[in-house]
């Protein structure tokens, strides 16, 4: 018997033949229409995506990063403003704030969910706070009710960074329709994936949606007349076609992710109860869509190396919390500023999870992890 086949953390080449055909046919329609930017394919996808999330407006843009950027621009974020976000996220959650010459203000996370801790939020609010931007990390919503309550009381809009959480729910509400607006990413590794870069802004606020639509075409609502300075943030029609073909499968893919997570839980539960590993927890009232299945281990490097020997790929999202990034040095944070974010950065380990991963592969990953744990 040869060595077992490697198990990738994500394999984007495992495609259903029917889906390939559906994508090809929608892409052909784009070529037939000759409308490669802002055409009927874009409108059709936006309508379908808004319908899927139960929001009145979805605006397709170039990426999740730009979805955050245009949302903040539409709310007038600029020099002197502060935007509160999680200390533990992908870089874009904070980078877009700095690009507008505003200041990211970080809040530590709840260790159980890896999301912004609402009990620490109010202390970070100042008269300059313009937006509160919680992140739904790994596919689980932040604890939105207390966050929204603080926002309401202090008159500050809440924007969701929902880039990892398409299909996730919080107390019966879907990510993307909980705050004033939300940013989604369709980067190829995300739960709903384009064939390149793409993203969307969702909202139930029609005037805000109009501003976002205008900002994505250079701040113009009538061609060659510019009410404000925007940019080119348009989603390609081919990406809209790919996403539209995939959208009907999203719910089943997310269910499969949840089934894989349940299988990991069954296989690793004893080790977790013995304190050898910490498994991801679905908080009450939330539907986690497991964009990532992230465990905590104490001796991460050794565990990773051992898994790699068995051909099991893993990843670390993210090894450096945002407040310790070199580019944010001037903000004045230091080691110890956010102990939970720092502890997470040192312990998190993402195991393979994607809808096409087989049960047999899940079993091998779990067995390999159990053998690697102290
Ligand atoms: C992926 C991601 C983004 C950025 O999306 P892109 O499409 O890669 O620009 C922003 N925030 C979070 C939390 C993400 O995971």
């Amino acid at each position: 018997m040869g060595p077992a086949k490697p198990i990738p953390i994500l394999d984007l080449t495992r495609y259903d033949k029917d889906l390939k055909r559906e994508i090809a046919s929608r892409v052909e329609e784009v070529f037939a229409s000759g409308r490669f930017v802002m055409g009927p394919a874009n409108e059709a996808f936006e309508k379908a995506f808004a319908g899927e999330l139960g929001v009145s407006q979805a605006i397709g843009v170039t990426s999740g990063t730009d979805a955050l950027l245009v949302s903040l621009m539409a709310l007038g974020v600029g020099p002197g403003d502060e935007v509160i976000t999680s200390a533990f996220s992908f870089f874009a959650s904070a980078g877009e704030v700095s690009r507008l010459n505003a200041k990211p203000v970080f809040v530590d996370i709840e260790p159980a969910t890896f999301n912004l801790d609402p009990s620490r939020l109010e202390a970070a609010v100042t008269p300059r706070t313009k937006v509160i931007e919680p992140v739904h990390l790994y596919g689980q919503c932040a604890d939105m009710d207390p966050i929204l309550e603080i926002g309401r009381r202090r008159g500050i809009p809440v924007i969701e960074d929902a880039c990892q959480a398409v299909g996730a729910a919080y107390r019966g509400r879907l990510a993307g329709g909980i705050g004033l607006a939300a940013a989604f990413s369709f980067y190829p590794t995300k739960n709903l994936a384009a064939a390149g870069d793409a993203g969307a802004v969702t909202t139930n606020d029609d005037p805000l949606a109009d501003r976002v639509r205008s900002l994505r075409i250079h701040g113009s609502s009538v061609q060659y007349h510019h009410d404000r300075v925007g940019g080119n943030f348009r989603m390609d029609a081919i990406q809209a076609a790919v996403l539209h073909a995939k959208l009907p499968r999203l719910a089943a893919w997310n269910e499969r992710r949840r089934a894989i997570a349940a299988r990991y839980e069954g296989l690793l539960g004893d080790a977790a109860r013995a304190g050898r590993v910490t498994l991801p927890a679905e908080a009450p009232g939330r539907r986690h869509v497991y964009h990532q299945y992230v465990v905590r281990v104490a001796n991460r490097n050794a565990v990773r190396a051992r898994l790699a020997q068995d051909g099991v790929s893993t990843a670390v999202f993210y090894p450096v919390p945002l407040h310790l990034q070199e580019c944010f040095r001037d903000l004045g944070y230091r080691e110890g500023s956010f102990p939970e974010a720092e502890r997470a950065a040192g312990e998190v380990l993402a195991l393979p999870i994607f809808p096409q991963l087989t049960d047999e592969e899940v079993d091998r990953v779990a067995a390999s992890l159990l053998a690697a744990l102290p």
Side-chain angles (χ1 to χ4, degrees):
M1 215 172 77
K5 238 180 124 210
I7 302 176
I9 184 140
L10 175 63
D11 183 353
L12 293 175
T13 68
R14 296 190 196 179
Y15 252 93
D16 180 318
K17 277 202 186 63
D18 290 340
L19 177 58
K20 260 190 190 156
R21 263 194 298 275
E22 285 155 33
I23 291 172
S25 120
R26 287 219 183 250
V27 170
E28 266 168 36
E29 282 172 26
V30 173
F31 276 82
S33 78
R35 302 272 304 276
F36 295 101
V37 171
M38 304 276 277
N42 295 81
E43 281 161 36
F45 170 67
E46 287 180 352
K47 205 157 164 256
F49 190 61
E52 181 79 19
L53 296 189
V55 293
S56 67
Q57 303 275 351
I59 303 115
V61 295
T62 23
S63 68
T65 299
D66 285 342
L68 286 169
L69 184 67
V70 288
S71 302
L72 297 175
M73 286 171 81
L75 290 169
V77 171
D81 293 330
E82 296 176 356
V83 174
I84 298 178
T85 192
S86 170
F88 189 61
S89 181
F90 177 62
F91 179 71
S93 307
E96 298 327 288
V97 176
S98 292
R99 277 180 67 187
L100 294 171
N101 298 311
K103 184 178 155 193
V105 172
F106 299 116
V107 169
D108 210 354
I109 56 168
E110 298 173 316
T113 64
F114 302 99
N115 283 325
L116 187 149
D117 183 345
S119 74
R120 300 172 191 273
L121 172 57
E122 194 139 25
V125 173
T126 77
R128 286 191 288 275
T129 308
K130 188 89 170 184
V131 172
I132 300 170
E133 184 206 279
V135 182
H136 305 323
L137 203 69
Y138 303 149
Q140 171 159 245
C141 287
D143 192 2
M144 291 300 287
D145 277 343
I147 295 171
L148 291 170
E149 199 277 317
I150 292 167
R152 235 182 334 260
R153 191 152 38 74
R154 307 291 292 255
I156 305 163
V158 175
I159 300 290
E160 304 164 65
D161 181 342
C163 286
Q164 301 189 358
V166 65
Y170 176 85
R171 298 190 176 150
R173 286 165 282 166
L174 285 173
I178 308 173
L180 177 63
F184 286 93
S185 167
F186 307 121
Y187 184 73
T189 63
K190 302 283 160 86
N191 288 27
L192 180 62
D197 278 309
V201 176
T202 59
T203 182
N204 285 305
D205 186 303
D206 293 346
L208 180 64
D210 288 345
R211 289 202 294 282
V212 171
R213 283 182 203 283
S214 145
L215 284 165
R216 98 178 144 172
I217 43 167
H218 296 292
S220 135
S221 36
V222 175
Q223 203 175 15
Y224 306 128
H225 295 261
H226 300 272
D227 316 319
R228 48 176 76 81
V229 177
N232 175 357
F233 300 119
R234 300 179 298 243
M235 184 195 284
D236 287 344
I238 286 177
Q239 299 306 341
V242 170
L243 292 165
H244 201 168
K246 289 182 167 188
L247 187 60
R249 300 182 185 230
L250 175 64
W253 284 334
N254 279 343
E255 275 315 307
R256 174 64 190 151
R257 287 174 181 272
R258 289 177 57 77
I260 291 170
R263 194 172 182 92
Y264 274 135
E265 169 102 35
L267 295 162
L268 301 170
D270 284 342
R273 282 180 287 276
R276 299 165 64 207
V277 59
T278 306
L279 303 182
E282 189 175 51
R286 274 170 254 192
R287 182 170 74 231
H288 198 320
V289 292
Y290 294 99
H291 171 57
Q292 300 296 347
Y293 188 87
V294 175
V295 303
R296 288 178 188 257
V297 291
N299 51 340
R300 183 171 66 198
N301 286 347
V303 171
R304 278 196 91 181
R306 188 56 219 280
L307 284 159
Q309 275 175 15
D310 291 343
V312 176
S313 303
T314 56
V316 174
F317 308 113
Y318 299 90
V320 182
L322 293 176
H323 66 286
L324 298 181
Q325 294 292 345
E326 182 62 31
C327 63
F328 293 141
R329 235 188 148 103
D330 294 350
L331 296 177
Y333 297 107
R334 62 183 63 80
E335 219 160 303
S337 294
F338 302 112
E340 290 300 344
E342 291 166 24
R343 193 162 68 85
E347 293 181 351
V348 292
L349 183 66
L351 304 182
I353 191 163
F354 53 100
Q356 298 78 16
L357 191 70
T358 66
D359 283 352
E360 183 263 325
E361 286 175 313
V362 173
D363 296 352
R364 271 184 49 208
V365 173
S368 176
L369 180 64
L370 287 174
L373 290 175

